[in-house]
Amino acid sequence: MVCDNCHERDAVVNLTTIENNAVRQLHLCEQCAAERGVETTVATPKHPLGEFLQAVQQQTMPASLDAGKCPFCGLTMKDFRDTGRLGCARCYTTFEPSMRELLRRVHGGPRHIGRTYRAPREEAVGTAGVLGELRDKLRRAVEQEQFETAAELRDRIRVLE
Amino acid sequence: MTLDLSLLPDGGVRWLDASGQHSDVVLSTRVRLARNVDGYAFSGRARDGERLRVLAQVREALKAIPAMPDSFMVRVDELPAADRAMLFERHLVSRELAGLESQHPLRSGAAVYLSDGLSVMINEEDHLRMQSLQSGFELRAAYAALDRVDRELGARVPFSYHPEFGFLTACPTNVGTGMRASVLIHLPGLVLTKEIGRVLAGLQQMGLTYRGLYGEGSEVVGNFFQISNQTTLGRSEEDLLDQLIRVVGHVIEREEEARRVLLRDAGYIIEDKLWRSYGTLRYARSLTFDEAMNYLSGVRLAVGLKLIRGLSVYTLNKLLIFSQAAHLSAAEGRSLSESETNLARARYVRKALDNEAGAVG
């Protein structure tokens, strides 16, 4: 069925209107429906944040601030722009100036004022959980050639074991 | 691994039972919290081994929390695609966790911990996506139940948290409270009176957003809208909930007003149109998903306006879920082609309405 309005595109919307007690059925394509204020789809650009961030960066800060990569997961700003996702919690501090600006623009307020949280002490998490976490950190530290951190982690693992 | 949803009351769809407030307009309320376990890369960047360790650590902690009684774990990564699709259609897991699309392939360690009205998805975009689903317009109750899970779990598993940015999430749009509260609302009156455009534009000005039946990226069908908060940082959970309650309350009033106007100014036209929707569902031999949604929308409106009596909202709500492709395939015991699905859908809807036909008038 073609659109009743433009007579060109395929009709995808059935619009029923009531005027002066008379019912009218219109078959509209997406564009013509949109012109009448009927939203048919929720358009989501692929990675709007990435593009948004790029724009923010170009406006406000020299690229050098974000050079480099996250010491924990190896993510770069380019990866973030491509996927719209950060790699780990550490990325937030690694790219802090960009993130602060981005969050301010996305959310309005830049500071968390919701429920505060304190992570449980290690004994509550259980040795197994802590050990797994430390071993992962150790593996990543070695990969990133952060040998000082790696040595510290190795000591903590030995104590727990 | 086999999927047995009979372990949950009503197969996990008790949130459709129309017991909550304003349930003729609001189908359900959902609140979700995004959390990550400290010390691991986020799910999308984690290695298989890391995700499995996240799963093991969370699983151990969940066993000990009283906020989720009678719960059980489903290893989504070990389920066949048909079962994963069914979990998704029931709103028990997200599209991403179900791994149904090429852009979000199934992840190792993907799992969901389910109990009545509460669930915890593990290794979704964030390590943890906890959610609470309730029937009707019940934002405070939904949040209160979820907050208990969050506190109990957070006391056993260290969450990634930053004093300035709050709970840290893979996508910066969720950072802060990590909370998305949403209301699944049926607005045929506002659509028919063409007020809907203004109402939706108003939502966006208030920092709220809307989506279709299946959340992000899904189309609006059958006049069902999901209204939710857009921002998560810089406002408290209470504040975000209060605003959503206020605005949705206002939308409900506008919808009820639009329904009164329709009945007053176009009573017989509306009555005829809605009974035709019912007639089509009762007798059609083939129904596409969109057709079924649109006619169900009409019948739901008719029940709300008391033009059709003797039909329960619960039956109509369940049809929204059980007339979808994966559920129909499961009921028929084999995978169906598109045209077979349409035939099976019409058969299923006829049967469900037949069961209550004696009382309808």
PDB file of all heavy atoms in Angstrom, chain B residues 161-185:
ATOM      1  N   TYR B 161      33.098   2.104  42.580  1.00  0.00           N
ATOM      2  CA  TYR B 161      32.429   3.332  43.018  1.00  0.00           C
ATOM      3  C   TYR B 161      33.464   4.444  43.116  1.00  0.00           C
ATOM      4  O   TYR B 161      34.598   4.225  43.526  1.00  0.00           O
ATOM      5  CB  TYR B 161      31.798   3.080  44.393  1.00  0.00           C
ATOM      6  CG  TYR B 161      31.070   4.270  44.978  1.00  0.00           C
ATOM      7  CD1 TYR B 161      29.766   4.562  44.599  1.00  0.00           C
ATOM      8  CD2 TYR B 161      31.685   5.089  45.916  1.00  0.00           C
ATOM      9  CE1 TYR B 161      29.093   5.657  45.139  1.00  0.00           C
ATOM     10  CE2 TYR B 161      31.021   6.185  46.458  1.00  0.00           C
ATOM     11  CZ  TYR B 161      29.733   6.458  46.062  1.00  0.00           C
ATOM     12  OH  TYR B 161      29.070   7.540  46.598  1.00  0.00           O
ATOM     13  N   HIS B 162      33.057   5.629  42.711  1.00  0.00           N
ATOM     14  CA  HIS B 162      33.949   6.782  42.693  1.00  0.00           C
ATOM     15  C   HIS B 162      33.220   7.885  43.472  1.00  0.00           C
ATOM     16  O   HIS B 162      32.048   8.136  43.212  1.00  0.00           O
ATOM     17  CB  HIS B 162      34.155   7.177  41.218  1.00  0.00           C
ATOM     18  CG  HIS B 162      35.121   8.284  40.984  1.00  0.00           C
ATOM     19  ND1 HIS B 162      34.818   9.600  41.240  1.00  0.00           N
ATOM     20  CD2 HIS B 162      36.380   8.282  40.483  1.00  0.00           C
ATOM     21  CE1 HIS B 162      35.853  10.356  40.907  1.00  0.00           C
ATOM     22  NE2 HIS B 162      36.811   9.573  40.451  1.00  0.00           N
ATOM     23  N   PRO B 163      33.907   8.545  44.432  1.00  0.00           N
ATOM     24  CA  PRO B 163      33.175   9.505  45.271  1.00  0.00           C
ATOM     25  C   PRO B 163      32.526  10.635  44.473  1.00  0.00           C
ATOM     26  O   PRO B 163      31.491  11.164  44.861  1.00  0.00           O
ATOM     27  CB  PRO B 163      34.248  10.039  46.223  1.00  0.00           C
ATOM     28  CG  PRO B 163      35.561   9.553  45.707  1.00  0.00           C
ATOM     29  CD  PRO B 163      35.305   8.389  44.821  1.00  0.00           C
ATOM     30  N   GLU B 164      33.115  10.995  43.351  1.00  0.00           N
ATOM     31  CA  GLU B 164      32.555  12.098  42.566  1.00  0.00           C
ATOM     32  C   GLU B 164      31.564  11.613  41.504  1.00  0.00           C
ATOM     33  O   GLU B 164      30.528  12.233  41.271  1.00  0.00           O
ATOM     34  CB  GLU B 164      33.699  12.867  41.893  1.00  0.00           C
ATOM     35  CG  GLU B 164      33.243  14.109  41.169  1.00  0.00           C
ATOM     36  CD  GLU B 164      34.399  14.822  40.477  1.00  0.00           C
ATOM     37  OE1 GLU B 164      35.561  14.621  40.893  1.00  0.00           O
ATOM     38  OE2 GLU B 164      34.136  15.556  39.512  1.00  0.00           O
ATOM     39  N   PHE B 165      31.898  10.476  40.867  1.00  0.00           N
ATOM     40  CA  PHE B 165      31.058   9.988  39.757  1.00  0.00           C
ATOM     41  C   PHE B 165      30.043   8.934  40.187  1.00  0.00           C
ATOM     42  O   PHE B 165      29.211   8.513  39.398  1.00  0.00           O
ATOM     43  CB  PHE B 165      31.930   9.407  38.635  1.00  0.00           C
ATOM     44  CG  PHE B 165      32.901  10.386  38.030  1.00  0.00           C
ATOM     45  CD1 PHE B 165      34.117   9.947  37.529  1.00  0.00           C
ATOM     46  CD2 PHE B 165      32.595  11.729  37.939  1.00  0.00           C
ATOM     47  CE1 PHE B 165      35.022  10.839  36.955  1.00  0.00           C
ATOM     48  CE2 PHE B 165      33.486  12.634  37.374  1.00  0.00           C
ATOM     49  CZ  PHE B 165      34.707  12.184  36.890  1.00  0.00           C
ATOM     50  N   GLY B 166      30.124   8.455  41.416  1.00  0.00           N
ATOM     51  CA  GLY B 166      29.153   7.457  41.882  1.00  0.00           C
ATOM     52  C   GLY B 166      29.487   6.061  41.384  1.00  0.00           C
ATOM     53  O   GLY B 166      30.657   5.721  41.209  1.00  0.00           O
ATOM     54  N   PHE B 167      28.452   5.255  41.151  1.00  0.00           N
ATOM     55  CA  PHE B 167      28.672   3.891  40.671  1.00  0.00           C
ATOM     56  C   PHE B 167      29.146   3.949  39.217  1.00  0.00           C
ATOM     57  O   PHE B 167      28.535   4.632  38.387  1.00  0.00           O
ATOM     58  CB  PHE B 167      27.381   3.070  40.794  1.00  0.00           C
ATOM     59  CG  PHE B 167      27.006   2.809  42.225  1.00  0.00           C
ATOM     60  CD1 PHE B 167      26.070   3.612  42.871  1.00  0.00           C
ATOM     61  CD2 PHE B 167      27.614   1.787  42.944  1.00  0.00           C
ATOM     62  CE1 PHE B 167      25.738   3.400  44.201  1.00  0.00           C
ATOM     63  CE2 PHE B 167      27.294   1.562  44.284  1.00  0.00           C
ATOM     64  CZ  PHE B 167      26.354   2.374  44.915  1.00  0.00           C
ATOM     65  N   LEU B 168      30.243   3.258  38.941  1.00  0.00           N
ATOM     66  CA  LEU B 168      30.856   3.356  37.610  1.00  0.00           C
ATOM     67  C   LEU B 168      30.294   2.276  36.687  1.00  0.00           C
ATOM     68  O   LEU B 168      30.155   1.119  37.074  1.00  0.00           O
ATOM     69  CB  LEU B 168      32.374   3.225  37.731  1.00  0.00           C
ATOM     70  CG  LEU B 168      33.022   4.290  38.622  1.00  0.00           C
ATOM     71  CD1 LEU B 168      34.528   4.065  38.731  1.00  0.00           C
ATOM     72  CD2 LEU B 168      32.735   5.696  38.101  1.00  0.00           C
ATOM     73  N   THR B 169      29.972   2.702  35.465  1.00  0.00           N
ATOM     74  CA  THR B 169      29.330   1.786  34.513  1.00  0.00           C
ATOM     75  C   THR B 169      30.045   1.846  33.168  1.00  0.00           C
ATOM     76  O   THR B 169      30.754   2.816  32.871  1.00  0.00           O
ATOM     77  CB  THR B 169      27.868   2.220  34.293  1.00  0.00           C
ATOM     78  OG1 THR B 169      27.856   3.608  33.948  1.00  0.00           O
ATOM     79  CG2 THR B 169      27.033   2.002  35.534  1.00  0.00           C
ATOM     80  N   ALA B 170      29.843   0.810  32.346  1.00  0.00           N
ATOM     81  CA  ALA B 170      30.525   0.752  31.056  1.00  0.00           C
ATOM     82  C   ALA B 170      30.127   1.936  30.173  1.00  0.00           C
ATOM     83  O   ALA B 170      30.943   2.508  29.473  1.00  0.00           O
ATOM     84  CB  ALA B 170      30.210  -0.567  30.363  1.00  0.00           C
ATOM     85  N   CYS B 171      28.838   2.297  30.227  1.00  0.00           N
ATOM     86  CA  CYS B 171      28.391   3.436  29.426  1.00  0.00           C
ATOM     87  C   CYS B 171      28.219   4.643  30.350  1.00  0.00           C
ATOM     88  O   CYS B 171      27.531   4.545  31.363  1.00  0.00           O
ATOM     89  CB  CYS B 171      27.073   3.109  28.740  1.00  0.00           C
ATOM     90  SG  CYS B 171      26.546   4.425  27.650  1.00  0.00           S
ATOM     91  N   PRO B 172      28.838   5.765  29.996  1.00  0.00           N
ATOM     92  CA  PRO B 172      28.753   6.935  30.883  1.00  0.00           C
ATOM     93  C   PRO B 172      27.325   7.457  31.086  1.00  0.00           C
ATOM     94  O   PRO B 172      27.093   8.220  32.021  1.00  0.00           O
ATOM     95  CB  PRO B 172      29.608   7.991  30.165  1.00  0.00           C
ATOM     96  CG  PRO B 172      30.452   7.238  29.208  1.00  0.00           C
ATOM     97  CD  PRO B 172      29.700   6.010  28.827  1.00  0.00           C
ATOM     98  N   THR B 173      26.381   7.039  30.260  1.00  0.00           N
ATOM     99  CA  THR B 173      25.005   7.498  30.452  1.00  0.00           C
ATOM    100  C   THR B 173      24.345   6.850  31.665  1.00  0.00           C
ATOM    101  O   THR B 173      23.257   7.240  32.057  1.00  0.00           O
ATOM    102  CB  THR B 173      24.113   7.199  29.229  1.00  0.00           C
ATOM    103  OG1 THR B 173      24.240   5.812  28.920  1.00  0.00           O
ATOM    104  CG2 THR B 173      24.491   8.025  28.040  1.00  0.00           C
ATOM    105  N   ASN B 174      24.974   5.816  32.240  1.00  0.00           N
ATOM    106  CA  ASN B 174      24.375   5.147  33.402  1.00  0.00           C
ATOM    107  C   ASN B 174      25.085   5.461  34.710  1.00  0.00           C
ATOM    108  O   ASN B 174      24.692   4.983  35.768  1.00  0.00           O
ATOM    109  CB  ASN B 174      24.405   3.625  33.198  1.00  0.00           C
ATOM    110  CG  ASN B 174      23.530   3.193  32.048  1.00  0.00           C
ATOM    111  OD1 ASN B 174      22.417   3.675  31.915  1.00  0.00           O
ATOM    112  ND2 ASN B 174      24.036   2.309  31.209  1.00  0.00           N
ATOM    113  N   VAL B 175      26.173   6.224  34.623  1.00  0.00           N
ATOM    114  CA  VAL B 175      27.017   6.433  35.789  1.00  0.00           C
ATOM    115  C   VAL B 175      26.296   7.274  36.855  1.00  0.00           C
ATOM    116  O   VAL B 175      25.347   7.995  36.553  1.00  0.00           O
ATOM    117  CB  VAL B 175      28.344   7.103  35.333  1.00  0.00           C
ATOM    118  CG1 VAL B 175      28.212   8.608  35.264  1.00  0.00           C
ATOM    119  CG2 VAL B 175      29.501   6.692  36.195  1.00  0.00           C
ATOM    120  N   GLY B 176      26.709   7.134  38.095  1.00  0.00           N
ATOM    121  CA  GLY B 176      26.071   7.875  39.187  1.00  0.00           C
ATOM    122  C   GLY B 176      25.233   6.912  40.010  1.00  0.00           C
ATOM    123  O   GLY B 176      25.762   6.055  40.698  1.00  0.00           O
ATOM    124  N   THR B 177      23.919   7.053  39.886  1.00  0.00           N
ATOM    125  CA  THR B 177      23.044   6.116  40.596  1.00  0.00           C
ATOM    126  C   THR B 177      23.004   4.758  39.894  1.00  0.00           C
ATOM    127  O   THR B 177      22.673   3.753  40.504  1.00  0.00           O
ATOM    128  CB  THR B 177      21.595   6.636  40.644  1.00  0.00           C
ATOM    129  OG1 THR B 177      21.137   6.783  39.295  1.00  0.00           O
ATOM    130  CG2 THR B 177      21.493   7.960  41.355  1.00  0.00           C
ATOM    131  N   GLY B 178      23.315   4.733  38.600  1.00  0.00           N
ATOM    132  CA  GLY B 178      23.186   3.489  37.833  1.00  0.00           C
ATOM    133  C   GLY B 178      21.733   3.056  37.706  1.00  0.00           C
ATOM    134  O   GLY B 178      21.440   1.936  37.332  1.00  0.00           O
ATOM    135  N   MET B 179      20.830   3.979  38.021  1.00  0.00           N
ATOM    136  CA  MET B 179      19.415   3.598  38.077  1.00  0.00           C
ATOM    137  C   MET B 179      18.623   4.045  36.843  1.00  0.00           C
ATOM    138  O   MET B 179      18.720   5.182  36.409  1.00  0.00           O
ATOM    139  CB  MET B 179      18.753   4.216  39.309  1.00  0.00           C
ATOM    140  CG  MET B 179      17.288   3.805  39.456  1.00  0.00           C
ATOM    141  SD  MET B 179      16.477   4.548  40.886  1.00  0.00           S
ATOM    142  CE  MET B 179      16.029   6.143  40.203  1.00  0.00           C
ATOM    143  N   ARG B 180      17.882   3.123  36.290  1.00  0.00           N
ATOM    144  CA  ARG B 180      16.908   3.483  35.261  1.00  0.00           C
ATOM    145  C   ARG B 180      15.560   2.973  35.764  1.00  0.00           C
ATOM    146  O   ARG B 180      15.390   1.775  35.979  1.00  0.00           O
ATOM    147  CB  ARG B 180      17.264   2.831  33.925  1.00  0.00           C
ATOM    148  CG  ARG B 180      16.395   3.209  32.777  1.00  0.00           C
ATOM    149  CD  ARG B 180      16.869   4.428  31.986  1.00  0.00           C
ATOM    150  NE  ARG B 180      18.211   4.271  31.460  1.00  0.00           N
ATOM    151  CZ  ARG B 180      19.113   5.267  31.446  1.00  0.00           C
ATOM    152  NH1 ARG B 180      18.809   6.452  31.912  1.00  0.00           N
ATOM    153  NH2 ARG B 180      20.314   5.047  30.953  1.00  0.00           N
ATOM    154  N   ALA B 181      14.645   3.898  35.991  1.00  0.00           N
ATOM    155  CA  ALA B 181      13.311   3.521  36.447  1.00  0.00           C
ATOM    156  C   ALA B 181      12.365   3.745  35.286  1.00  0.00           C
ATOM    157  O   ALA B 181      12.403   4.791  34.655  1.00  0.00           O
ATOM    158  CB  ALA B 181      12.896   4.378  37.628  1.00  0.00           C
ATOM    159  N   SER B 182      11.549   2.746  34.962  1.00  0.00           N
ATOM    160  CA  SER B 182      10.656   2.950  33.835  1.00  0.00           C
ATOM    161  C   SER B 182       9.273   2.375  34.077  1.00  0.00           C
ATOM    162  O   SER B 182       9.085   1.471  34.877  1.00  0.00           O
ATOM    163  CB  SER B 182      11.262   2.367  32.552  1.00  0.00           C
ATOM    164  OG  SER B 182      11.376   0.976  32.664  1.00  0.00           O
ATOM    165  N   VAL B 183       8.341   2.963  33.359  1.00  0.00           N
ATOM    166  CA  VAL B 183       6.945   2.591  33.490  1.00  0.00           C
ATOM    167  C   VAL B 183       6.444   2.229  32.104  1.00  0.00           C
ATOM    168  O   VAL B 183       6.610   3.001  31.165  1.00  0.00           O
ATOM    169  CB  VAL B 183       6.160   3.794  34.073  1.00  0.00           C
ATOM    170  CG1 VAL B 183       4.670   3.546  34.018  1.00  0.00           C
ATOM    171  CG2 VAL B 183       6.603   4.072  35.504  1.00  0.00           C
ATOM    172  N   LEU B 184       5.882   1.034  31.975  1.00  0.00           N
ATOM    173  CA  LEU B 184       5.332   0.605  30.680  1.00  0.00           C
ATOM    174  C   LEU B 184       3.860   0.997  30.647  1.00  0.00           C
ATOM    175  O   LEU B 184       3.056   0.494  31.425  1.00  0.00           O
ATOM    176  CB  LEU B 184       5.503  -0.916  30.516  1.00  0.00           C
ATOM    177  CG  LEU B 184       5.028  -1.547  29.215  1.00  0.00           C
ATOM    178  CD1 LEU B 184       5.668  -0.906  28.001  1.00  0.00           C
ATOM    179  CD2 LEU B 184       5.323  -3.045  29.220  1.00  0.00           C
ATOM    180  N   ILE B 185       3.551   1.929  29.761  1.00  0.00           N
ATOM    181  CA  ILE B 185       2.250   2.593  29.829  1.00  0.00           C
ATOM    182  C   ILE B 185       1.532   2.505  28.476  1.00  0.00           C
ATOM    183  O   ILE B 185       2.173   2.556  27.433  1.00  0.00           O
ATOM    184  CB  ILE B 185       2.459   4.059  30.315  1.00  0.00           C
ATOM    185  CG1 ILE B 185       1.149   4.753  30.624  1.00  0.00           C
ATOM    186  CG2 ILE B 185       3.258   4.876  29.313  1.00  0.00           C
ATOM    187  CD1 ILE B 185       1.343   6.051  31.430  1.00  0.00           C
TER     188      ILE B 185
END
